[in-house]
Every structure is written in structure tokens, then in C-alpha cells.
Amino acid sequence: MSGEGVKMEVEASTAPSEPVKPAEDENEEEDCADLADLLDSINDDAKTAADKIPILTSVLNEPSNRYGPVASALKERAVYALARAYCEADRHDEVVSLLTGTTCAAFFANITKAKTAKVVRAVLDAVCALAPTELDMQSQICRNIIGWCQAEKRTFLRQRVEAKLASVLFQQDKYGEALTLVDNLLVELKKLDDKQLLVEVHLVESKIHHGLRGVAKSKAALTASRTNANAIYVAPALQSQIDLMSGVLHCEEGDYDTAHSYFLEAFEQLDQLDDREKAVPCLKYMMLCKILDGLSKALGISGAVPGAMGIRSDRNDADISGMISGKRGVKYAGSDVEAMSAIAAAASKRSLKEYEAVIVKYPHELQDDLLIKHHLSTLQEQLLESNLIRIIEPYSCVEIDHVASLIEMPLGVIEKKLSQMILDGKFHGILDQGKGQLIVYEDADTDKAMEKGLKVIENMDKVVTSLFSRSQNLRSMMV
């Protein structure tokens, strides 16, 4: 029996087996030639954006429902091209429903969550770049994506889009809504310790507080952003925005030298990235800091001599020709640079009339930017004050109408400014509105003995008060 068993086993082992079919390669490329041909057909220059839209939609909604590696890559390209086509055709309503509607629903359902997040963020960035002025559309598409993320429970993608929405709301000047969104988002991000997103959100928070004129809170938010940025690698584009915001805050505090160095850092990074749109404002801010710093130094030199503020200085500290010469001047030449050069020329001459002519000539370049607009108004006040003091310096009594005619400004503006300067202690005098005259007093020499005597009396008062409080404590202890 045992021999038969062995014989049967041997026969079974030596029996010819059926040929085994080779297993199909799971990574074998599927036939997607038709999809590739459709995508290539939109590269024809003769086709408009409206002609491309139905072709790209047919790629995403093709009946075979192919979602292999090749088909997914082709459909991803189709999503990006469709978003660009909608923007070019000004069909912004369809851009809003592109990602959350039925067009991309099947595609997103058959790819990974990480790939979905990548596509959504890329489309959102592309739409914002192609239609930078359509802030309402950007806001609506962000809200739609956030609602879709909440329904699909995609927390990380929702947080990214909420950070983008906060930035859009800041550009819309909706500071209250943006700040509420940022505060709620920061609570979640600090629990997750997502440093990359914390850097971006804290930077947006700093911009919002600056827009609300809360410089202290803006500095605190920027410090938090820098702290998180020190722990990770930060892309040059984001680092340039951090440096730019640092320069803005230092400029608000009047530290123009430090602000200029930060603006220079941001400008050099953006120049290497060839981002002209963002580099030009940095160059304008650098020129602004040079102008303001030069004028303040010149006025400080003139003001060092009693009664000599407003005298023309031989030093041309507002000269910015060195900043716009060479390759930099050729690369970034334009109306923006010309406007700031004209402002620098007017400031170096202390010419208020020329300054106002430049403001009228370049309204878009000088009034649209809030930082430049704010500091140019400060520059105008400085020029007006220095010119007024220079005019009234030789007089002890002068008619206000004569001052207004010399400076070529309305009488009411001059009266208001002179009264403000008297109250601020810029010079000693009174306005006799009955006679329409300004009476200027000479600066009286201060009595140093009187000042020191008052200080001694003040210190003695503090000593006596301290001794009295101690004696009261001793009496209470004895009782």
C-alpha cells in the first residue's frame, strides 16, 4: 500500500500541468490616446477660450470612466486648463462651481485625498493669479471649497483654504470677518502644530492688525510668524513677504534705516524670482524710506540752529539716483519709479508746489498704495511746516494773507496750519484774526537755575511724602 501511495504521488507530481497564463501587469499603461489628442487639440492658437471649454469638459466626463495613472494625469491637466479657460472667458460663475460641482466630482472620487488637495490648491492659486481683481469670485470659490471640505471631512485642506480666504477678505478690507476667521483657525493650528501654515496665518494676522492701525498687535503677530519660520524651511516668496511686513512696521515707527534694509532683503529675493509685480512695490518702499530719512536728517540739521528750521541744506539726502541706476533701473523702469523720482526731486528742493504737481500727475502710482499714501501725507506736512517757518522767520509781525500768497496755498489752510504749529510748540506766536496778522515772538532763553530749583523741590516733595508714609506705618505698629 505504501508503494502504491508513493507511486501515485510520483505520478501526480510528474503529470503535465496546464500552461499558466502570465499575470497582467497592474501598471500596464491604458489606452488614453483619445484623451491625449483632445488635450493637444486645445493648443491650437485659432481656438478661443470658449472653444476649449467643451473639449476639456468632455475629457473630464468621458464615458469610459478611466482613472488609471495616465488617465488621471491627463484629467488633472484638463482641470487646470479648464480653470484657465473659464478665467480667460470671464465666466467667473462657472469657476466658482468648477471644483465643487458635477464637472470634477467623478474625478475627485477616484483619486487619493492628497492628490485632491493638491489639485484644489493649484486651481485656487491659478484662479487668483489669473483674476487678481475678482475678489468676490475668489471669496465665493473659497467658501464653496470650505463647505465641500466640511461635508467630506477633509480638515487639512479646509484649513489651507480658510487661510487663503482670510487673505482675500483682508484684500477686500473686511478686517473684522478676516480677524474672526484667523483667530478660530489659529486655535486649531496650534493644537496640530502645523508650523508652515502657522507662518502664513500669523503673517495674514499681522497684515490685518496693521490695516486696523494696531501696530503693537501687528508686531506681536509678525514675531509669532518669524518664530515658527525659524523652525522650518520657508520658501523665498514667503520669506520676502515676512521681510516686507517687517519693513512696513519699522517704517510706521519712523525707523527708516531699518525699514530700508528689510525692503532691500525682500526686493532682492523677489528680483531673483523674477516677480516684477511684487518687486516694484518693494523698490518704491525703498525709495520712500530714502526720501523720508533724507528729509528728516536735513530738517534736523537745519533745526539744530535756533530759528533756522526750513533753511535749504546743501546736503542732498533725498537723492535716490543711485538706487535706480544700472541694471535695476532698466529692468524696473516705468511710471512707478518715475513718480517716486519726482517726489524725491521735490523733497530735495523743499518745493511744496512741485510736490503737489507730482501728486496730481501720478495719482494711481502714489495714492493707491496705503503705505505710500500715508507717508507722503506726512512728507507734505513736513514740507509745509519747513516752508512756513522759512517764510515767517524774518518777521515779528506778518499778514497771513501775505504768507498764503508766497506759499501759493488757500488762506484757510495756512491759518489752520499756523495755529496747529503754535499749539505744537513749533514756534512761539499768536494769530490776530481781527487784523489778519501773525505775531511771532522770539524764543526766550530758559532759566536753567529755575528748572534745577523746581527739580530739587520735586525731589524733596517725594522724600517728605515717603517719610510721612513710613512714620504712619510705625505708629500703627506701636498701637
Side-chain angles (χ1 to χ4, degrees):
M1 291 295 292
S2 61
E4 293 178 359
V6 171
K7 184 178 180 181
M8 291 175 63
E9 185 178 352
V10 171
E11 289 178 354
S13 62
T14 57
S17 58
E18 296 181 358
V20 180
K21 296 181 180 179
E24 295 183 359
D25 187 4
E26 294 180 356
N27 297 324
E28 183 181 359
E29 294 186 2
E30 51 195 335
D31 185 14
C32 299
D34 55 337
L35 299 180
D37 292 339
L38 288 172
L39 280 177
D40 292 338
S41 66
I42 67 172
N43 295 327
D44 187 1
D45 295 335
K47 289 185 177 180
T48 62
D51 298 331
K52 297 176 184 179
I53 290 173
I55 298 174
L56 295 169
T57 305
S58 65
V59 172
L60 290 171
N61 297 326
E62 50 95 16
S64 301
N65 292 327
R66 287 165 287 183
Y67 294 102
V70 178
S72 296
L74 292 172
K75 290 184 178 182
E76 182 181 349
R77 286 173 51 195
V79 172
Y80 300 149
L82 186 58
R84 288 193 295 270
Y86 279 141
C87 290
E88 291 172 3
D90 291 333
R91 295 165 64 172
H92 298 134
D93 293 338
E94 297 185 36
V95 174
V96 172
S97 59
L98 171 63
L99 297 176
T100 57
T102 57
T103 307
C104 299
F107 174 59
F108 288 156
N110 287 275
I111 61 175
T112 61
K113 288 187 175 183
K115 191 67 171 288
T116 303
K118 175 196 168 188
V119 172
V120 170
R121 291 174 57 192
V123 169
L124 185 58
D125 292 340
V127 168
C128 294
L130 290 169
T133 58
E134 298 293 333
L135 297 178
D136 292 335
M137 181 267 291
Q138 295 179 24
S139 174
Q140 189 58 46
I141 193 172
C142 287
R143 295 179 193 277
N144 285 5
I145 295 172
I146 290 170
W148 177 76
C149 290
Q150 290 173 340
E152 296 289 329
K153 296 182 179 179
R154 302 196 177 191
T155 304
F156 294 105
L157 179 58
R158 174 184 59 79
Q159 292 171 346
R160 293 277 176 184
V161 180
E162 283 183 349
K164 182 64 178 178
L165 177 59
S167 179
V168 173
L169 291 173
F170 165 72
Q171 296 178 52
Q172 291 180 306
D173 296 336
K174 297 180 179 178
Y175 300 133
E177 186 177 354
L179 191 58
T180 303
L181 181 61
V182 164
D183 289 340
N184 295 333
L185 185 57
L186 284 174
V187 173
E188 298 181 25
L189 294 176
K190 287 176 181 178
K191 293 178 182 178
L192 298 173
D193 199 24
D194 187 349
K195 293 190 180 298
Q196 180 66 38
L197 197 53
L198 277 170
V199 172
E200 299 176 11
V201 176
H202 276 303
L203 181 59
V204 175
E205 183 189 13
S206 178
K207 293 179 180 178
I208 294 170
H209 283 303
H210 176 256
L212 294 170
R213 310 305 299 171
V215 178
K217 290 184 178 180
S218 181
K219 288 180 67 176
L222 185 62
T223 302
S225 179
R226 280 190 173 279
T227 302
N228 287 285
N230 291 335
I232 59 172
Y233 169 75
V234 178
L238 181 57
Q239 184 62 49
S240 66
Q241 295 303 308
I242 295 175
D243 291 335
L244 177 63
M245 194 63 208
S246 299
V248 168
L249 293 178
H250 281 285
C251 193
E252 292 287 3
E253 294 178 341
D255 189 359
Y256 300 121
D257 283 335
T258 307
H260 180 274
S261 64
Y262 276 115
F263 288 140
L264 180 60
E265 289 286 338
F267 173 77
E268 289 178 346
Q269 294 179 69
L270 292 169
D271 184 45
Q272 291 178 356
L273 295 172
D274 287 330
D275 192 345
R276 178 184 173 86
E277 184 180 354
K278 294 181 180 177
V280 169
C282 288
L283 181 58
K284 290 171 66 178
Y285 295 156
M286 290 164 57
M287 298 167 75
L288 176 67
C289 289
K290 185 71 173 176
I291 294 168
L292 294 172
D293 187 49
L295 184 62
S296 61
K297 287 180 179 177
L299 294 180
I301 292 170
S302 300
V305 181
M309 182 179 178
I311 297 176
R312 295 178 186 271
S313 173
D314 293 334
R315 294 181 58 184
N316 193 5
D317 290 303
D319 184 17
I320 57 173
S321 58
M323 299 177 59
I324 54 175
S325 60
K327 295 181 180 179
R328 183 185 296 175
V330 175
K331 185 175 182 180
Y332 296 100
S335 59
D336 292 288
V337 176
E338 290 175 2
M340 296 305 297
S341 299
I343 289 291
S348 62
K349 296 176 184 177
R350 315 289 188 266
S351 174
L352 191 62
K353 184 178 180 181
E354 187 175 339
Y355 170 86
E356 292 177 343
V358 174
I359 295 293
V360 173
K361 185 178 180 181
Y362 300 100
H364 172 69
E365 291 81 0
L366 300 176
Q367 299 296 316
D368 289 354
D369 191 295
L370 292 178
L371 181 69
I372 293 178
K373 182 180 179 181
H374 171 67
H375 284 281
L376 285 185
S377 63
T378 304
L379 176 62
Q380 184 179 15
E381 294 294 322
Q382 291 179 349
L383 288 176
L384 179 57
E385 289 181 4
S386 63
N387 278 275
L388 284 173
I389 291 178
R390 188 173 62 210
I391 290 172
I392 67 176
E393 183 186 4
Y395 301 99
S396 60
C397 181
V398 60
E399 291 185 357
I400 303 174
D401 192 12
H402 177 64
V403 176
S405 63
L406 289 176
I407 208 168
E408 298 181 358
M409 291 189 70
L411 179 62
V413 175
I414 297 302
E415 281 187 353
K416 182 178 179 181
K417 188 61 185 177
L418 287 172
S419 62
Q420 181 183 348
M421 292 172 66
I422 292 171
L423 293 173
D424 290 342
K426 299 295 177 63
F427 67 91
H428 300 287
I430 59 171
L431 286 174
D432 189 346
Q433 291 183 328
K435 297 180 180 179
Q437 294 177 345
L438 169 68
I439 302 172
V440 183
Y441 300 138
E442 293 184 3
D443 293 335
D445 294 334
T446 57
D447 190 349
K448 294 184 179 180
M450 174 70 76
E451 291 181 358
K452 291 182 179 180
L454 291 173
K455 191 172 292 186
V456 169
I457 294 172
E458 182 182 355
N459 292 333
M460 287 296 297
D461 179 64
K462 291 180 180 178
V463 171
V464 172
T465 304
S466 176
L467 291 173
F468 181 73
S469 61
R470 289 185 180 184
S471 64
Q472 282 188 326
N473 292 333
L474 287 173
R475 287 183 180 179
S476 61
M477 291 174 62
M478 293 174 64
V479 173

